Amino acid sequence: MAAEEKPYLTGRTYIFRMKKGEDLLAAIVDFCHDNQIKCGVINAIGAVQNATMGYYNQKKKKYDKHVLDEELEIASLMGNVSIMDNRPMVHAHITLSDDEGGIIGGHLMSGTKIFACEIFIQELVGNPKVRKKDKATKLPLWM
Ligand code: ZN
């Protein structure tokens, strides 16, 4: 931990079932906006009807999009909430498994439709992390 980092306190804790058919990322973002969650950690398990993930191409400095039109398990979703452009921003990665137990994963993008999903969101109270475009990576990173 960097010397200037201050510890966070745990705030509100949410655990709930997400609606079938909703866009997974958009639904998480909406929940955080509606509840003004500015900083926190997210995890979820469940299943999706299809998936859209990104892979950040470090040479091109842009996301390659990976669209999977198949029914998959959410073996794991991990993410966080912080602030970008004065609004809560969700950054999440997802690990998906297929009918043979094969695993694929990446940066969660909109275009991932929920079949069933149990989500846990832990708000953290303190100075929210703020994202700004990082020159070296061209990614919106925590300052
Ligand atoms: Zn990512």
Side-chain angles (χ1 to χ4, degrees):
M1 188 161 79
E4 71 277 10
E5 291 289 328
K6 288 209 171 73
Y8 288 81
L9 297 173
T10 52
R12 297 165 291 174
T13 304
Y14 299 92
I15 185 164
F16 57 97
R17 181 166 70 89
M18 301 185 77
K19 287 197 188 83
K20 183 172 184 258
E22 286 190 337
D23 184 276
L24 179 55
L25 180 60
I28 299 170
V29 169
D30 286 350
F31 184 85
C32 292
H33 285 178
D34 292 350
N35 292 284
Q36 277 299 298
I37 298 167
K38 297 177 176 129
C39 189
V41 293
I42 299 166
N43 73 55
I45 52 174
V48 295
Q49 299 173 58
N50 59 22
T52 304
M53 296 179 295
Y55 169 82
Y56 194 69
N57 186 313
Q58 297 178 20
K59 287 189 184 69
K60 293 186 201 161
K61 295 196 169 50
K62 68 176 201 62
Y63 280 99
D64 295 331
K65 213 187 234 187
H66 215 135
V67 178
L68 298 170
D69 195 16
E70 57 181 311
E71 295 161 1
L72 298 156
E73 294 278 315
I74 304 171
S76 170
L77 179 151
M78 297 185 67
N80 56 58
V81 190
S82 56
I83 297 292
M84 192 164 82
D85 299 330
N86 298 310
R87 286 164 61 83
M89 187 268 197
V90 172
H91 181 204
H93 285 194
I94 191 166
T95 304
L96 299 163
S97 60
D98 64 19
D99 58 351
E100 294 182 324
I103 289 280
I104 189 164
H107 176 98
L108 179 65
M109 293 181 134
S110 60
T112 301
K113 197 186 269 189
I114 297 168
F115 179 73
C117 185
E118 297 169 351
I119 189 162
F120 170 86
I121 300 175
Q122 176 65 63
E123 180 188 37
L124 295 173
V125 178
N127 275 342
K129 294 284 179 201
V130 176
R131 289 186 186 278
K132 289 205 173 88
K133 189 78 153 253
D134 173 66
K135 281 200 180 91
T137 62
K138 297 218 167 108
L139 283 166
L141 300 180
W142 290 339
M143 291 298 106

